[in-house]
Amino acid sequence: GSGDVVEMSVFSMNMPFAGLVAHGTKTLETRNGTMFLPLEGQEVLLHVGRRTYPDGGMHRDILARSGLGEAEIDRLTTLPEGLSRGEIVAVVRVGKTVLVEDEADRSAPDVEAGAVATGAAMGRYLTTITDARFLPRGVPLRGQPGVFRATVPRSALEG
C-alpha cells in the first residue's frame, strides 16, 4: 500500500561534490539563491547528476590541504559500489543557511574546507549539511533544478 513509499524533497548535485556531501566531507553547500531556506532541519534526498562539475581539480587541493592523501581523496570523490550517477544515493540533513556577501569571509580556511571550494568559487548563501548517509541502494531518477519532490520506496531508505 501507500506505506511502501515516501515522498521527500530532493536536490541534485554533480560529482565530485555529490560524493563529498554524501561521504560527509563537504558540510557546507553554497548557492547564489535561497533554495535550502525552507528545508532547514529537514532530512532531504541527494540526487547525483550525470555530469562532472569542472573546478580544475581545486577540490583535491583543498582536501589535500586538510591532510588527506590521494587514495582517501579518490574514495571521497567517488560513489560506493552499487550506487551511480542518475540516482538518489543519500539522505542528508539541511541546516541553517546564512548569507556571506564578502568573498574574504567565504575564503576563511575553515569555510573553504567545509565547502571544499574557494571563496571566489562559492555561492553567497552557505547552508550547513549534516548527518549524511548513503542509501543501501540507489533510486534512479531524472534530476531537476533546485529542490523538487520525489516518491521513493521506503525500503530504499532503510539501511
Side-chain angles (χ1 to χ4, degrees), residues 4-5 19 36 57 77-78 84-85 97-98 118 129 133 154:
D4 299 338
V5 296
F36 290 115
T77 52
T78 52
S84 56
R85 294 175 193 232
T97 296
V98 294
T118 63
I129 304 285
R133 62 179 171 86
R154 191 176 296 280

Side-chain angles (χ1 to χ4, degrees), residues 128-153:
T128 304
I129 304 285
T130 59
D131 302 330
R133 62 179 171 86
F134 282 104
L135 300 184
R137 66 176 204 271
V139 179
L141 188 75
R142 184 181 289 280
Q144 295 175 40
V147 176
F148 57 101
R149 302 285 289 176
T151 302
V152 298

Side-chain angles (χ1 to χ4, degrees), residues 77-131:
T77 52
T78 52
L79 298 171
E81 192 73 31
L83 298 175
S84 56
R85 294 175 193 232
E87 294 179 340
I88 296 169
V89 302
V91 182
V92 302
R93 187 171 299 282
V94 174
K96 277 207 183 321
T97 296
V98 294
L99 173 61
V100 184
E101 286 280 13
D102 191 341
E103 187 185 312
D105 294 333
R106 294 196 302 269
S107 300
D110 60 320
V111 177
E112 289 192 339
V116 197
T118 63
M122 278 178 222
R124 296 174 306 141
Y125 289 92
L126 278 58
T127 302
T128 304
I129 304 285
T130 59
D131 302 330

Side-chain angles (χ1 to χ4, degrees), residues 16-27 59 63 73 76-77 116:
F17 296 102
L20 289 167
V21 166
H23 278 287
T25 303
K26 178 174 161 69
T27 55
H59 64 280
L63 292 165
I73 292 172
L76 296 172
T77 52
V116 197

